[in-house]
Amino acid sequence: MDNTVGIGIIGDLPANRTRVLERYHRMTEIHISRFEAGEVKIARAPGRVNLIGEHTDYNGLPVFPMAVDRDIAAVFSPRADRRIILANTDPGFTERSFEIQELIPAYSTGDWGNYCKAAVQGLLDFYRQKHRDSDRFCGFEATFDGDIPVAAGMSSSSALVVLSALIFLASNGLDLHTTPSGRLELADLLARAEHYVGTQGGGMDQAISLMGQSGHAVKIDFFPLRTRSAPLPKGYSVVVANSLVKAAKTAEAMDKYNRRSIECRLAAAVLKKIFSETYRRDVPIFLFGDLKEEKLAVPDSEIWKISDSTFRGDPYTLGEIAAILGQTVEKTAQLYCKRRDGSIFPEPEGGFKLQQRYRHVIEEGRRVEQSIQALESGDILQFGKLMNQSHSSCRDLYEISCEELDRLVEISREAGAVGARLTGAGFGGCTVNLVRDNGVESFIRQVIKSYYRDYLRREDREYGSMLFPCRASDGAAVIGETNTRRDRI
Ligand code: NG1
């Protein structure tokens, strides 16, 4: 290896130190030759795999992900002007360049540069509220390199948002990311900031990318954001399998995702109306997560008696929902069915499935609590059972699975997984599997044969990027700099 660039590492490196250092070295050289930079810094933001709790985050109910040992890393250097230049070691992501300004115009939907713009715009808005105007910030140039499977439900997009935010902060001498409370504040603002790209997602991905802890999964609660780490079970591995169905954030995929969050908002509005009529006062329900005694001042047993019997199984037209809410169809659409760009989400053919979405989210939230109890009491089989139930609910009630994911989950259970489910937004992407350590090898062999070879009819030489065990890693950080004496390689 050319040893002209010294890399100093602050803190711990993920496992496989030599490979990781070689990667940073290669990135640094690419960066220095592209930008002629002198001193540079290195930062990383991990992807995640969600063990259980799907589509609960934006409904105010908990999730239970872990940050993984796959990440997006960047070598970067601040600039004296206000330009931001983004390079990528993957030639598929061509260079992007933009100026810091009050309102940064987005690239077209799905463009990788938008994830960086989202972070910068979010931070500019945040600091503007703190009376620092955007003129005071400098730009940066950065070279990115990622090994998180893209469009696979492992949150490569939020890792890019989080990483861009760290680069912006570090380039401007800001320290929001350096304390635990600052990291929570940052996670919270980046969750909102990511809506810039068009999805109306929750806050799981940004929070776990920042708050991940090596060897642990993290329970995340929302509104207000808080986290609690739980050690992963000894003797078991978390294995991720890519269905190879791309769940890209194109306009069409975004509409599928956003439809679910719109249905949840409509259902919550209906519940608010029913509870407010029953108790003859304004009952504060905005999200399914508000359905709790301390929030509503209604006994738990009453809450579930009313809410479980509110929705019928058949889907609703917007007209029917508007009639329940006592509003016009236009007002209902304006209040609950808006996309980020202000356009109205069209009424789905066949109607809004309020009961099914309500049941999935409420039961999934309970499964998260039960999973953590199971894990803490060492009942791993129960944990696996809850993962399996979660998959069925994602498939039947939330309708975010697909044929390939269902087949992959089936095969994985036959291959020995004690729990197997889709992970992330769904509509393709990865599954997460809990597998006994001593069964991982045969699990991998069997899934390669039954899913990739027999079912997908693929013959690849290398399956390591499709099917791999993950270790729980620490959250995003600025982890190194060049030309220091420490830890020179
Ligand atoms: P992914 O899998 O990264 O698209 C999305 C949302 C999460 C969460 C999950 C479903 C974003 C950035 N992420 O994740 O907040 O709602 O779906 O549990 O929108």
Side-chain angles (χ1 to χ4, degrees):
M1 187 195 298
D2 177 345
N3 222 3
T4 51
V5 183
I7 301 180
I9 296 296
I10 306 158
D12 292 335
L13 271 177
N16 202 346
R17 195 181 159 80
T18 314
R19 194 171 53 83
V20 171
L21 283 172
E22 270 172 22
R23 175 187 179 208
Y24 295 155
H25 210 114
R26 185 173 47 82
M27 289 168 64
T28 305
E29 285 177 352
I30 294 174
H31 183 80
I32 288 175
S33 69
R34 162 65 185 88
F35 293 109
E36 290 167 14
E39 286 259 318
V40 298
K41 289 193 165 137
I42 304 171
R44 71 177 280 273
R48 61 102 179 99
V49 55
N50 189 18
L51 300 180
I52 194 160
E54 226 56 87
H55 290 264
T56 43
D57 58 353
Y58 54 85
N59 287 298
L61 287 165
V63 292
F64 193 46
M66 65 185 221
V68 296
D69 50 352
R70 299 207 166 210
D71 62 26
I72 304 186
V75 171
F76 65 97
S77 26
R79 287 175 62 92
D81 60 11
R82 291 151 56 72
R83 180 142 289 275
I84 290 180
I85 307 179
L86 314 171
N88 202 307
T89 56
D90 179 342
F93 297 107
T94 49
E95 194 166 297
R96 295 285 179 267
S97 167
F98 62 94
E99 200 74 25
I100 295 176
Q101 54 186 296
E102 206 169 311
L103 279 180
I104 302 170
Y107 296 117
S108 56
T109 305
D111 192 292
W112 78 283
N114 279 342
Y115 296 93
C116 176
K117 286 186 168 182
V120 173
Q121 182 71 65
L123 285 168
L124 291 177
D125 296 345
F126 175 78
Y127 283 109
R128 189 172 309 130
Q129 279 173 3
K130 296 193 179 276
H131 312 295
R132 272 202 195 213
D133 53 43
S134 52
D135 304 345
R136 304 196 20 202
F137 295 109
C138 73
F140 58 81
E141 45 213 22
T143 303
F144 292 84
D145 178 79
D147 64 0
I148 309 170
V150 174
M154 293 192 73
S155 216
S156 56
S157 49
S158 297
L160 186 50
V161 172
V162 167
L163 182 58
S164 303
L166 291 196
I167 296 172
F168 181 85
L169 291 167
S171 298
N172 282 285
L174 297 162
D175 59 2
L176 188 60
H177 56 297
T178 59
T179 61
S181 64
R183 287 171 91 79
L184 278 180
E185 200 172 2
L186 182 59
D188 214 23
L189 87 87
L190 291 178
R192 272 174 280 121
E194 196 169 327
H195 292 185
Y196 178 96
V197 304
T199 39
Q200 300 174 8
M204 159 167 59
D205 303 347
Q206 304 78 7
I208 187 64
S209 189
L210 278 157
M211 309 300 292
Q213 192 188 337
S214 161
H216 292 69
V218 182
K219 181 188 180 220
I220 305 174
D221 284 283
F222 301 91
F223 315 120
L225 185 63
R226 54 219 190 272
T227 59
R228 178 159 78 83
S229 301
L232 286 164
K234 293 231 168 355
Y236 286 83
S237 295
V238 173
V239 183
V240 165
N242 194 337
S243 70
L244 300 184
V245 177
K246 287 244 173 210
K249 289 226 167 58
T250 57
E252 192 203 336
M254 251 178 222
D255 264 359
K256 283 198 205 157
Y257 184 93
N258 290 340
R259 170 183 172 172
R260 277 31 180 206
S261 78
I262 287 168
E263 288 176 314
C264 292
R265 288 207 295 266
L266 286 167
V270 169
L271 287 169
K272 178 177 175 51
K273 178 78 180 174
I274 304 290
F275 274 80
S276 299
E277 276 174 5
T278 309
Y279 292 97
R280 295 166 197 275
R281 64 181 165 89
D282 187 34
V283 179
I285 301 172
F286 303 97
L287 301 166
F288 291 144
D290 294 331
L291 294 170
K292 50 186 173 213
E293 193 166 326
E294 58 282 18
K295 178 97 194 219
L296 307 188
V298 173
D300 257 338
S301 55
E302 287 292 305
I303 292 180
W304 302 119
K305 205 158 86 196
I306 299 172
S307 59
D308 286 350
S309 58
T310 292
F311 304 108
R312 60 162 202 245
D314 284 344
Y316 291 72
T317 63
L318 194 59
E320 284 176 315
I321 296 169
I324 298 172
L325 298 179
Q327 292 166 353
T328 62
V329 170
E330 291 70 31
K331 180 154 185 217
T332 309
Q334 277 296 329
L335 284 175
Y336 305 106
C337 305
K338 257 208 203 140
R339 294 194 189 92
R340 199 198 124 82
D341 64 4
S343 62
I344 297 291
F345 184 87
E347 190 169 337
E349 221 177 284
F352 292 105
K353 299 195 175 178
L354 303 191
Q355 189 203 55
Q356 293 79 352
R357 310 312 188 218
Y358 162 82
R359 277 191 51 206
H360 167 77
V361 172
I362 296 295
E363 291 168 12
E364 185 76 354
R366 288 183 191 140
R367 278 191 287 270
V368 172
E369 305 288 357
Q370 291 161 358
S371 302
I372 290 155
Q373 282 164 16
L375 204 58
E376 286 175 346
S377 63
D379 191 349
I380 310 307
L381 294 185
Q382 173 62 9
F383 187 81
K385 219 190 243 173
L386 291 160
M387 288 174 75
N388 293 341
Q389 286 170 9
S390 165
H391 184 79
S392 306
S393 179
C394 287
R395 180 190 61 209
D396 302 335
L397 297 174
Y398 224 63
E399 298 179 290
I400 52 169
S401 191
C402 61
E403 236 176 270
E404 292 84 350
L405 281 171
D406 292 340
R407 187 69 197 115
L408 181 53
V409 158
E410 242 170 55
I411 288 171
S412 302
R413 291 181 194 150
E414 285 160 17
V418 299
R421 54 181 294 279
L422 68 82
T423 185
F427 311 108
C430 289
T431 62
V432 56
N433 305 280
L434 196 61
V435 183
R436 263 183 243 284
D437 283 345
N438 58 13
V440 170
E441 244 173 66
S442 78
F443 173 84
I444 288 181
R445 229 180 302 117
Q446 208 169 316
V447 173
I448 289 175
K449 180 184 178 314
S450 306
Y451 183 72
Y452 297 104
R453 293 222 171 99
D454 296 353
Y455 180 76
L456 289 187
R457 306 210 161 279
R458 286 177 68 110
E459 270 309 329
D460 294 84
R461 256 194 262 139
E462 229 270 276
Y463 289 91
S465 60
M466 303 172 201
L467 180 61
F468 47 87
C470 286
R471 280 171 201 258
S473 98
D474 282 329
V478 177
I479 51 162
E481 55 199 16
T482 61
N483 297 331
T484 67
R485 284 214 199 98
R486 269 168 298 148
D487 206 16
R488 244 170 194 280
I489 58 168

